[in-house]
Amino acid sequence: MKKYLLIIILFGMFFSCDHHTNKIVLSPLFTDGMVLQRNTKVNVWGESSRNTEINIISEWGQELKLKSDSTGIWKGKILTPKAGGPFYLKIISENQNITIEDIMIGEVWIASGQSNMEMTMNGFPPKELILNSENEILNANYPNIRMFDVERSMKSKPSNKLSGSWIKTSPKEVESFSAAAYFFAQEIHKQLDIPIGIIHSSWGGTPAEAWTSGIKLKELGFFVNTLENMGKSDPEEVAIQWFNKFKSIDIPQKSPSEGVLKEYYKNLQFSDGKLSEFELDDQSWQTVFLPGRFDTLKLEQFDGVIWLRKEIFLDDISSDYNLNIEYIDDMDKTYFNGNLIGDFSGYGYHRKKRNYNVPKSILKKGKNVIAIRAIDIVGEGKFGREMNLTNNNGKIISIEGLWKYKPVAEIYENKFYTYETKLSLAERPFLNKLSPSLPKVLFNGMINPLIPYTMKGVIWYQGEGNVGRHNQYSSLFPGMIEDWRNKWNNEFPFYFVQIAPFRYAEDPLKNVSQELREAQRKTLELPKTGMVVTLDIGDFDNIHPANKKDVGKRLARLALVNDYDSDLAPLGPILNGSEIFKNTIKLSFTHVGSGLEYFNDQVNQFEIAGSNMNFLKANVRVEENNIFVSSPLIKHPKHVRYAWSDTPMATLFSGDGFPASSFKIEIK
């Protein structure tokens, strides 16, 4: 009898309980310090128990009554005033009262893209730094500029989960802000004297398809097979089941300084200290051939920590040796006979040559052991071509060939999962792990959770990840913009940065980035778009140019001119017409400011061709807002192009000093 009574009680409890939380659950976007878009009805949403009455009360005098639906979801709109604050917002149910404090009302923008948008005010130490960063950081006293950093997240399906927080600008906090986004916000703030909120969501090295929804990609006809394969199984579920077996260590998402990051990686411990020792039984370890990649385990990419060991035999131990490796991508701690001889810990060393001294005091006649703990954070984990030992007697000993290897920690979802050193790789299942370069995964994980937060527009810096696929990008990029606008149900302004000059290929005949820049230029055909040209502020030898302040200010100028009724002149010249007069092509431009400026003392960047596409340097003449180009060797010109290479020089400017974009056109 007691048994049946217990079953009845449990049965009643099961059906009387609400399966949705009794607490109000809000997106991290709705937390203290948030910025709301001014003078509009902003979207507010959350979760609670089902069919719950929700009352939202604002300090600025607006009230909204809602009721959650049968799934516990509630959403609505509340009117915001003109810029100001701080204010509070109360969200009240029968059982709970949440107060969000220190809310500012102003302008909200989303900043997204790859590494040039992600690049912080600290830069990418040690070599890739922001121009004048020390002074800019020291003077960053703008508490009404606030940034919400979306933590990195890849998802195979659209997610509403989000991690991050609103941070006020201060010298201490601004170090980890996106530099381009901060300088954009700073300029808008200075010009309008209102609060600015930036929701920053970017990931270095990523292509545009990762930021586009699966539905849109299928509509465009791109990556269809990849999307179908991704849909056949749930890779996240398999990965989670595997990684939940192990302890984890968080990976820093932002580094306040190069030193802190270096110390973090240098001091990482995975219960693997003995793997560097001279006497170690590594017979059960698997082998990999070096130089080459060490991260392709079980036919898939492995990001994490791997130990590599190799025995070498020395007959001459009369002098010190040098251990030379062209590079180790990304980090290493290198041991010789159990002694640490060198390390590179932190970011920015993936192409740094390793040249470590091996003192003769630790050498052994006969068998010696090199042990390397390599850490691959993202992308290829690889040893460069040169791998040898040399000594003062001219001895050169190759250390290329088969090395023993053992993984001790793997990266998944921004954590190191630590494997027991006795774990056999054979136990690890095949993990069809998500990669940030896969289609749709960053849209699902880092954009979808932001919808439908009310904002003014988007700033975007990306394209390097699609160089070489310009034909596809010409449809993909405008398609992505339309995709985001459709998801927000709002044709918001979308301003983007054209990729800067960079030596992608040593051979000029293999230059391709100009084609990507052209695809970006043609995207201006979409309404309410604008493009920042960077031909004059790039770095041929650095894909991450240091001058992010001008990038941010130029993005801000687009917004100020187009959205905030500024009387500033627009950015640089835009080609808007062409025609042929006998053997001369006339090019007309808008946005010339006080007039076109052409610097003919620089390398001539104008070329023309006939129907055979054999381009020759053109004679150039400037008259008012027009450029006339010709060549005595071409009687019937058909094509013209400007700044057409990976590494062009900007020679055409507006009277306000803003450069024209590279371009290529056929005269019809």
Side-chain angles (χ1 to χ4, degrees):
M1 183 67 183
K2 288 182 179 180
K3 177 181 178 182
Y4 291 114
L5 182 60
L6 178 60
I7 292 173
I8 292 171
I9 292 171
L10 292 173
F11 188 86
M13 288 176 63
F14 178 86
F15 282 98
S16 64
C17 288
D18 196 327
H19 294 302
H20 296 272
T21 177
N22 288 317
K23 292 184 177 180
I24 296 172
V25 178
L26 300 171
S27 164
L29 291 166
F30 297 101
T31 50
D32 292 351
M34 68 186 295
V35 182
L36 291 175
Q37 183 64 34
R38 61 175 175 161
N39 289 329
T40 191
K41 289 185 175 180
V42 299
N43 293 306
V44 185
W45 71 92
E47 296 181 43
S48 65
S49 54
R50 57 179 60 134
N51 302 316
T52 297
E53 291 185 354
I54 304 292
N55 193 20
I56 301 176
I57 301 171
S58 73
E59 188 178 1
W60 57 88
Q62 295 293 314
E63 186 171 354
L64 177 65
K65 294 183 181 294
L66 301 167
K67 189 174 183 179
S68 64
D69 62 20
S70 59
T71 66
I73 302 296
W74 53 266
K75 56 185 175 181
K77 294 178 179 288
I78 190 166
L79 185 66
T80 54
K82 63 181 182 180
F87 297 106
Y88 66 73
L89 188 71
K90 292 182 180 292
I91 302 175
I92 303 168
S93 69
E94 183 180 356
N95 300 318
Q96 197 174 4
N97 186 335
I98 295 176
T99 301
I100 305 172
E101 298 180 325
D102 192 26
I103 298 172
M104 303 305 294
I105 309 293
E107 292 294 294
V108 179
W109 288 78
I110 290 176
S112 188
Q114 58 181 112
S115 55
N116 271 306
M117 182 62 82
E118 186 180 43
M119 192 175 188
T120 70
M121 292 292 288
N122 264 333
F124 298 137
K127 291 185 177 181
E128 298 180 327
L129 304 177
I130 299 297
L131 187 66
N132 198 29
S133 60
E134 289 187 11
N135 186 59
E136 294 288 353
I137 290 170
L138 184 65
N139 292 288
N141 295 299
Y142 299 100
N144 287 339
I145 297 176
R146 301 177 180 191
M147 192 169 293
F148 185 100
D149 260 323
V150 177
E151 290 191 8
R152 289 179 169 186
S153 177
M154 300 173 285
K155 298 294 180 184
S156 60
K157 298 176 182 177
S159 173
N160 293 320
K161 293 183 179 179
L162 179 67
S163 295
S165 60
W166 287 98
I167 305 295
K168 297 179 185 179
T169 301
S170 68
K172 179 181 178 182
E173 299 291 352
V174 79
E175 292 183 350
S176 60
F177 283 15
S178 158
Y182 167 68
F183 287 127
F184 166 83
Q186 182 193 64
E187 186 69 10
I188 299 286
H189 178 67
K190 285 181 176 179
Q191 294 292 331
L192 303 184
D193 192 26
I194 61 173
I196 305 295
I198 300 291
I199 301 172
H200 168 240
S201 182
S202 63
W203 192 322
T206 54
E209 60 266 24
W211 298 96
T212 308
S213 74
I215 293 173
K216 186 63 178 182
L217 291 172
K218 288 180 180 178
E219 178 188 313
L220 293 168
F222 295 146
F223 311 102
V224 174
N225 292 335
T226 301
L227 292 169
E228 287 180 357
N229 290 332
M230 291 174 70
K232 288 178 181 177
S233 62
D234 190 344
E236 290 171 274
E237 184 176 332
V238 175
I240 289 170
Q241 288 179 357
W242 169 251
F243 288 115
N244 278 349
K245 300 176 182 179
F246 306 100
K247 295 179 181 179
S248 66
I249 301 172
D250 288 337
I251 297 175
Q253 291 301 292
K254 297 181 255 183
S255 65
S257 69
E258 176 191 355
V260 169
L261 194 64
K262 181 175 182 178
E263 286 302 308
Y264 168 83
Y265 281 105
K266 191 170 186 176
N267 295 325
L268 270 177
Q269 297 292 331
F270 303 103
S271 302
D272 59 346
K274 292 185 178 181
L275 301 188
S276 66
E277 294 179 357
F278 177 80
E279 296 292 348
L280 179 78
D281 182 6
D282 57 15
Q283 294 304 306
S284 64
W285 291 25
Q286 293 184 274
T287 58
V288 61
F289 188 92
L290 298 178
R293 294 184 63 172
F294 62 85
D295 65 336
T296 48
L297 312 180
K298 302 189 76 170
L299 302 179
E300 59 177 301
Q301 183 169 302
F302 178 100
D303 296 323
V305 185
I306 295 179
W307 276 91
L308 301 118
R309 289 172 58 93
K310 186 174 184 64
E311 293 182 6
I312 58 166
F313 290 84
L314 300 177
D315 52 17
D316 179 3
I317 59 172
S318 62
S319 67
D320 292 358
Y321 279 78
N322 280 328
L323 189 150
N324 308 295
I325 301 175
E326 184 181 11
Y327 60 81
I328 299 176
D329 186 348
D330 294 293
M331 312 177 203
D332 72 291
K333 292 181 78 170
T334 299
Y335 297 81
F336 200 98
N337 291 337
N339 301 278
L340 180 66
I341 59 171
D343 73 282
F344 281 95
S345 300
Y347 295 161
Y349 301 113
H350 56 288
R351 287 296 181 269
K352 179 77 173 177
K353 184 172 183 178
R354 272 54 170 180
N355 190 323
Y356 299 142
N357 176 252
V358 186
K360 66 179 182 180
S361 59
I362 66 172
L363 301 176
K364 298 178 183 291
K365 198 170 184 67
K367 173 186 167 183
N368 292 260
V369 175
I370 303 170
I372 300 174
R373 189 186 78 172
I375 301 180
D376 174 37
I377 296 297
V378 69
E380 292 187 351
K382 191 175 182 180
F383 279 60
R385 293 178 188 173
E386 179 190 22
M387 295 183 65
N388 59 46
L389 282 168
T390 60
N391 70 4
N392 296 333
N393 301 325
K395 188 91 169 175
I396 301 175
I397 301 172
S398 173
I399 57 173
E400 297 180 9
L402 292 177
W403 286 62
K404 297 288 186 70
Y405 78 83
K406 186 175 188 63
V408 296
E410 188 166 1
I411 295 172
Y412 181 72
E413 287 286 290
N414 304 317
K415 295 179 185 291
F416 282 110
Y417 286 86
T418 59
Y419 294 155
E420 297 294 331
T421 55
K422 294 181 180 180
L423 176 79
S424 167
L425 191 63
E427 299 175 35
R428 178 179 176 273
F430 177 81
L431 299 177
N432 186 19
K433 290 196 301 181
L434 297 181
S435 159
S437 61
L438 283 173
K440 77 177 181 178
V441 296
L442 301 185
F443 175 87
N444 290 343
M446 298 178 69
I447 299 300
N448 196 72
L450 307 180
I451 303 169
Y453 196 85
T454 305
M455 47 78 175
K456 183 68 173 183
V458 171
I459 56 173
W460 173 263
Y461 196 162
Q462 188 274 340
E464 299 89 347
N466 291 87
V467 166
R469 294 189 284 131
H470 42 271
N471 290 330
Q472 182 186 67
Y473 198 79
S474 63
S475 299
L476 174 60
F477 183 40
M480 189 206 80
I481 296 171
E482 292 173 341
D483 186 31
W484 288 23
R485 287 173 169 174
N486 289 336
K487 294 295 190 295
W488 260 275
N489 193 27
N490 178 12
E491 193 178 65
F492 48 73
F494 193 104
Y495 302 132
F496 56 94
V497 183
Q498 191 180 52
I499 61 172
F502 173 68
R503 190 173 286 106
Y504 287 89
E506 292 293 335
D507 184 353
L509 296 178
K510 295 181 180 179
N511 287 184
V512 291
S513 63
Q514 66 271 31
E515 297 277 11
L516 197 286
R517 287 199 298 272
E518 181 71 352
Q520 291 177 313
R521 184 182 73 86
K522 290 181 177 180
T523 301
L524 292 172
E525 295 172 6
L526 281 182
K528 300 181 75 171
T529 56
M531 183 176 75
V532 168
V533 177
T534 58
L535 292 187
D536 60 329
I537 54 174
D539 185 334
F540 295 171
D541 298 314
N542 189 350
I543 203 169
H544 303 120
N547 187 353
K548 290 295 187 285
K549 184 161 190 174
D550 278 339
V551 170
K553 291 181 72 172
R554 291 177 187 183
L555 284 165
R557 195 180 187 99
L558 288 170
L560 290 165
V561 169
N562 296 319
D563 306 300
Y564 299 119
D565 300 321
S566 170
D567 58 1
L568 293 168
L571 290 182
I574 294 178
L575 180 68
N576 75 330
S578 60
E579 53 186 318
I580 297 178
F581 296 95
K582 295 183 179 179
N583 66 341
T584 299
I585 296 175
K586 175 187 175 183
L587 305 170
S588 55
F589 296 83
T590 58
H591 296 177
V592 298
S594 58
L596 283 178
E597 292 189 358
Y598 173 62
F599 294 91
N600 57 12
D601 58 335
Q602 304 291 333
V603 176
N604 186 2
Q605 297 291 321
F606 281 94
E607 300 169 286
I608 62 172
S611 57
N612 62 2
M613 297 288 287
N614 182 23
F615 280 93
L616 301 174
K617 292 295 182 182
N619 296 324
V620 182
R621 185 175 84 254
V622 180
E623 290 184 9
E624 296 181 346
N625 298 335
N626 303 309
I627 296 278
F628 295 85
V629 292
S630 63
S631 170
L633 301 176
I634 300 176
K635 293 183 178 180
H636 303 288
K638 183 78 172 171
H639 303 271
V640 59
R641 64 191 189 187
Y642 164 72
W644 201 251
S645 71
D646 278 347
T647 53
M649 296 181 65
T651 58
L652 184 63
F653 291 80
S654 70
D656 299 297
F658 296 111
S661 169
S662 55
F663 60 81
K664 179 179 69 172
I665 59 170
E666 179 182 359
I667 315 299
K668 297 182 179 180

